[in-house]
């Protein structure tokens, strides 16, 4: 089966004046750490508008078979969102810094490959920052990684650890209200739990990140291979000692802000079956109430949702 996209996500609440700093740090810092050679190749290019995604790029200044872009999107009242793109060069990043002063609804940074004809043929790094009016003090920091690449079937889980180290470095500084590594169920950043709460049964406020992020210090949005529990909810799930004694996690580490970093297994590929069940039982007291419904029929290549299809509110307290 082909790999599916994974969503590496942190939800951070920051003063509005710091939105630009946090967003730029995520986009620039992560790309420097994980795509340093590509950033170096792109550095001297101008900031001018990159070509339309449907047009060939090879003759437009990109280096060899490499491209890199930054894109800012702004919502408009009576028209579709307007997106503006620049090359991910030093000049393009300076342009981005200026754009972030009037903070947009979304920002993307993409680095990838061109085919021999000069067309974009796939990304190797995709980072994004999202902000929603319904959660006005929050930013959603995302990285989207192909599952097969993340698992690196040749070299083993080395890239997993590299990404976890990056996630830790930001989580430890930014005191997130939530964090996860899970399948990307939508472009909006839904968790598996949110994705399987049926619209017929639950309002958008229960299911859509635009709303649920605003309450992530009150209700845990979901659970996954990596789950970051905010400090406000740690006592609900047994405290640091209780989480360690549960034996449900490979790693239980306290973040500087008081939240807890929970990694279920050493290798992402082992997060399935009884492991998912145990993680759910431990975290149920902090999860948003609601009964997720399984998919009736998965299409070829899709992965089943790693969930327990029970209402977390019905789970008896541990102890």
């Amino acid at each position: 089966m082909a790999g599916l996209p994974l969503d590496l996500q942190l939800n951070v609440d920051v003063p509005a004046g710091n939105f630009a700093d946090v967003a730029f740090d995520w986009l620039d810092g992560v790309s420097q750490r994980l795509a340093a050679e590509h950033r170096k190749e792109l550095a001297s290019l101008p900031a001018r508008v990159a070509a339309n995604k449907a047009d060939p790029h090879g003759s437009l200044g990109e280096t060899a078979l490499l491209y890199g872009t930054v894109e800012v999107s702004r919502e408009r009242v009576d028209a579709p969102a307007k997106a503006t793109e620049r090359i991910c060069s030093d000049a393009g990043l300076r342009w981005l810094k200026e754009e972030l002063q009037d903070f947009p609804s979304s920002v993307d940074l993409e680095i990838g490959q061109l085919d021999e004809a000069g067309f974009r043929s796939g990304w190797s790094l995709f980072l994004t920052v999202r902000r929603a009016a319904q959660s006005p003090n929050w930013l959603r920091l995302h990285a989207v990684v192909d599952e097969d690449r993340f698992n690196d079937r040749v070299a083993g889980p080395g890239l997993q650890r590299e990404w976890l180290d990056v996630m830790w470095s930001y989580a430890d500084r930014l005191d997130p209200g939530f964090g996860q590594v899970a399948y990307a169920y939508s472009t909006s950043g839904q968790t598996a739990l949110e994705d399987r709460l049926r619209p017929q049964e639950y309002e958008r406020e229960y299911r859509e990140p635009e709303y649920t992020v605003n309450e992530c210090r009150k209700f845990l949005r979901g659970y996954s291979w990596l789950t970051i529990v905010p400090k406000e909810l740690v006592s609900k799930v047994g405290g640091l000692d209780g989480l360690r004694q549960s034996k449900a996690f490979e790693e239980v580490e306290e973040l500087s802000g008081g939240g807890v970093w929970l990694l279920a297994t050493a290798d992402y590929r082992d997060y399935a079956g009884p492991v998912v069940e145990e993680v759910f039982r431990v975290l149920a007291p902090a999860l948003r109430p609601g009964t997720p419904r399984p998919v009736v029929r998965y299409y070829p290549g899709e992965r089943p949702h790693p969930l327990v299809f029970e209402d977390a509110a019905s789970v008896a307290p541990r102890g």
Side-chain angles (χ1 to χ4, degrees), residues 77-244:
V77 176
D78 298 319
K82 181 180 180 180
T84 308
E85 187 179 67
R86 295 289 186 270
I87 294 172
C88 185
S89 59
D90 288 350
L93 270 292
R94 288 194 294 271
W95 168 86
L96 177 62
K97 264 192 171 181
E98 290 298 319
E99 288 292 308
L100 293 178
Q101 300 311 306
D102 178 16
F103 205 83
S105 54
S106 67
V107 194
D108 298 337
L109 183 151
E110 182 178 344
I111 294 174
Q113 296 80 40
L114 299 168
D115 62 21
E116 293 182 357
F119 291 95
R120 300 184 191 187
S121 61
W123 43 261
S124 57
L125 182 69
F126 188 85
L127 306 172
T128 186
V129 180
R130 297 283 186 268
R131 183 192 178 202
Q134 297 87 347
S135 299
N137 298 319
W138 290 86
L139 292 180
R140 304 197 306 274
L141 311 179
H142 298 268
V144 182
V145 184
D146 178 79
E147 178 189 15
D148 283 346
R149 186 167 182 270
F150 188 73
N151 289 331
D152 195 344
R153 301 184 185 283
V154 176
L159 186 62
Q160 295 181 20
R161 191 71 256 173
E162 194 170 6
W163 267 111
L164 288 173
D165 289 346
V166 169
M167 294 279 284
W168 171 273
S169 69
Y170 283 88
D172 200 43
R173 286 191 287 115
L174 297 176
D175 185 25
F178 177 71
Q180 71 166 14
V181 174
Y183 289 125
Y185 293 102
S186 71
T187 56
S188 67
Q190 280 183 306
T191 67
L193 175 60
E194 291 166 350
D195 182 67
R196 297 315 308 152
L197 294 176
R198 290 179 177 172
Q200 302 92 323
E201 300 178 64
Y202 298 96
E203 299 294 331
R204 294 183 63 193
E205 288 79 3
Y206 265 69
R207 301 178 289 102
E208 297 293 339
E210 289 87 346
Y211 299 92
T212 60
V213 167
N214 203 44
E215 294 191 315
C216 65
R217 294 195 183 277
K218 182 179 178 182
F219 297 108
L220 191 62
R221 291 182 55 211
Y223 54 100
S224 56
W225 178 59
L226 172 69
T227 308
I228 295 176
V229 179
K231 56 182 176 291
E232 293 83 357
L233 298 177
V234 173
S235 62
K236 282 194 170 186
V237 293
L240 197 63
D241 290 340
L243 288 165
R244 286 173 175 157

Side-chain angles (χ1 to χ4, degrees), residues 25-41:
D25 184 27
W26 175 252
L27 298 168
D28 180 55
V30 175
S31 62
Q32 287 285 14
R33 286 182 65 169
L34 294 180
E37 288 303 313
H38 290 167
R39 283 288 307 271
K40 185 176 180 181
E41 288 185 59

Side-chain angles (χ1 to χ4, degrees), residues 261-279:
W261 164 285
L262 302 172
L263 188 69
T265 61
D267 191 322
Y268 179 82
R269 289 166 287 193
D270 296 328
Y271 183 66
V275 177
V276 175
E277 172 95 17
E278 185 63 16
V279 169

